[in-house]
């Protein structure tokens, strides 16, 4: 008679937080238990949950799952192999994650703010302790972009990344432009649907996209996350009329996160931008995210999927757990370096000067008299700002310039503001990378 195969021990997971992400993680782990086990090579068991409102978790989890109200106790608990951090915030979450690492536990987190602000310390602690920090869920939730950059595109010099990486702001923009909803109504709905951060100004102010961009750039270019180097502007100042003008000029407005390497320096920026209406990024709507990556061998690749949501985020959390289980079966603690580069190769990037950035720009100018339009065009021409597209009504001129440096457009805007009977109402960048799906 053949001996029955040994049962590999379960990977014991402890979950911090039982909100949108935490409850989704529990739901996917239990609902897809058998498939996850078959793929991981061992069971992945949720043994413990720690959260502030313990009653909510107790009502959902099986009786054999311990529910604590002290996240720190879970972080050091001997019956936990991996701590899933789904609480959010940067203070308590940081303390719990560092405590878990100090106790030799792996960490999986959906918390981009935590890693963008404290990633260097957390990744370094994990390296020193020989444990891993998984964060696929922290960037563009259901899109496996961390895996794509760290593994699938490993052969490439990455030239640029341009993407829509905040589901809430994309939901708000889509509602404003397609359904004519107000900014406030659309944001309230995104909050009710569980897409927004606890502090939604992070979503609409561009901060959340900046957190994600800092992480993407770290993996793509090989250095610590550089949140301080990200130029950030949000969508909170956009007016409904700019969606109409942009559409007439053949564009959609999106909140873009761009990381681009040029002449050895890295440019990191988050801002609303006009993208060509027939481009792939213009068609990323609602809470969806879309990310384009240009590698010097792969050319342009594009990734699309839900950018926020409970089970969608859980999909990425569980993927990190399965990676861990597989590595453990092969006797490895850490399968792939957290940032995709070996420690000795990680270098702080040289950051480019923002004033030198050259892009096209959309301007909307209010005119007291129709003749003011000619004055605007003359002023722009005198200051070396070419105009490639424009449409004038009696009291409004909307136009798109040719490529000019930030410093030049800033000087031109100052000159326009000094004209009588002319008010600059909007200035947005136009992003041509977004239309680069042909690989060019
Ligand atoms: P929620 O507010 O829905 O859930 C947070 C959970 O953590 C709640 O159960 C909350 O308890 C608990 N909690 C918060 N602080 C503490 C604390 N100090 N001690 C104990 N428990 C605490 O947030 P989300 O699930 O939406 O987000 C969690 C993390 O995941 C954040 O970092 C977020 O950025 C990230 N994320 C969110 C996504 C989404 O679509 N929502 C997608 C990707 C990442 P209580 O119920 O009592 O408030
Ligand atoms: N608030 C975030 C968003 C959640 O809307 O994109 C996903 O990271």
């Amino acid at each position: 008679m053949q001996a029955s195969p040994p049962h590999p021990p379960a990977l014991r997971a402890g979950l911090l937080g039982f909100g949108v992400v935490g409850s989704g993680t529990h739901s996917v782990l239990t609902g897809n238990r058998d498939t996850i086990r078959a793929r991981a090579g061992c069971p992945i068991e949720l043994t413990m949950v720690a959260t502030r409102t313990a009653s909510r978790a107790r009502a959902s989890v099986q009786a054999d799952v311990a529910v604590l109200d002290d996240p720190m106790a879970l972080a050091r608990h001997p019956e936990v192999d991996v701590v899933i951090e789904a609480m959010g915030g940067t203070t308590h979450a940081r303390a719990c994650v560092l405590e878990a690492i100090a106790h030799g536990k792996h960490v999986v987190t959906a918390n981009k703010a935590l890693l963008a602000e404290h990633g260097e310390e957390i990744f370094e602690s994990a390296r020193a302790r020989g444990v891993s920090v998984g964060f696929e869920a922290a960037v563009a939730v259901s899109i496996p972009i961390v895996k794509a950059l760290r593994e699938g595109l490993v052969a490439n010099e990455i030239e640029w990344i341009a993407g829509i990486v905040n589901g809430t702001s994309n939901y708000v923009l889509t509602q404003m432009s397609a359904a004519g909803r107000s900014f406030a109504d659309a944001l309230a709905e995104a909050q009710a649907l569980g897409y927004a951060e606890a502090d939604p100004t992070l979503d609409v102010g561009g901060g959340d996209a900046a957190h994600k961009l800092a992480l993407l750039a770290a993996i793509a270019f090989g250095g610590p996350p550089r949140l301080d180097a990200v130029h950030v502007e949000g969508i909170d100042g956009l007016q409904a009329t700019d969606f109409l003008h942009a559409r007439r000029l053949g564009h959609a407005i999106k909140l873009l996160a761009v990381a681009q390497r040029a002449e050895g320096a890295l440019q990191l920026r988050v801002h609303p931008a006009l993208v060509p209406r027939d481009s792939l990024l213009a068609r990323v709507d609602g809470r969806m995210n879309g990310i384009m990556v240009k590698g010097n061998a792969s050319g342009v690749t594009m990734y699309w999927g839900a950018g926020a949501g409970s089970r969608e985020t859980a999909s990425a959390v569980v993927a990190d757990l399965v990676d861990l289980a597989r590595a453990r079966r092969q006797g490895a603690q850490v399968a792939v370096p957290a940032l995709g580069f070996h420690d000795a190769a990680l270098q702080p990037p040289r950051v480019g000067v923002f004033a030198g950035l050259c892009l096209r720009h959309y301007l909307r100018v209010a005119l007291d008299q129709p003749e003011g339009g000619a004055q605007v065009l003359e002023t722009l021409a005198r200051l070396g700002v070419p105009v490639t597209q424009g449409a004038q009504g009696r009291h409004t001129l909307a136009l798109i310039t040719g490529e000019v440096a930030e410093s030049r457009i800033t000087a031109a805007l100052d000159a326009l503001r000094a004209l009588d009977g002319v008010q600059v109402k909007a200035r947005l960048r136009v992003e041509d990378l977004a239309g680069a799906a042909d690989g060019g």
Side-chain angles (χ1 to χ4, degrees), residues 17-22 50-53 56 71 86-89 92 110-112 137 141 194-197 308-309 313:
F18 205 78
V20 174
V21 175
T51 190
R52 199 162 38 200
T53 315
R56 201 171 301 151
M87 293 191 299
H92 202 45
N111 191 336
K112 51 274 165 161
V141 304
Y195 304 157
E197 295 302 300
T313 311

Side-chain angles (χ1 to χ4, degrees), residues 186-266:
L187 178 57
E189 197 174 358
Q191 287 180 279
L193 289 165
Y195 304 157
E197 295 302 300
D199 171 6
T201 59
L202 279 171
D203 295 290
V204 295
D208 178 74
H211 292 147
K212 292 164 178 164
L213 185 67
L215 293 173
L216 287 176
I219 311 166
F221 302 106
R226 284 291 311 272
L227 184 60
D228 59 312
V230 186
H231 172 91
V232 188
E233 295 171 31
I235 60 164
D236 25 8
L238 291 180
Q239 302 294 315
T241 186
D242 290 310
F243 294 99
L244 295 175
H245 288 295
R247 191 173 305 148
R248 284 188 198 125
L249 293 166
H251 290 77
I253 301 178
K254 295 290 178 188
L255 180 68
L256 288 192
V258 179
Q260 187 171 15
R261 193 156 53 181
E263 291 161 15
L266 188 58

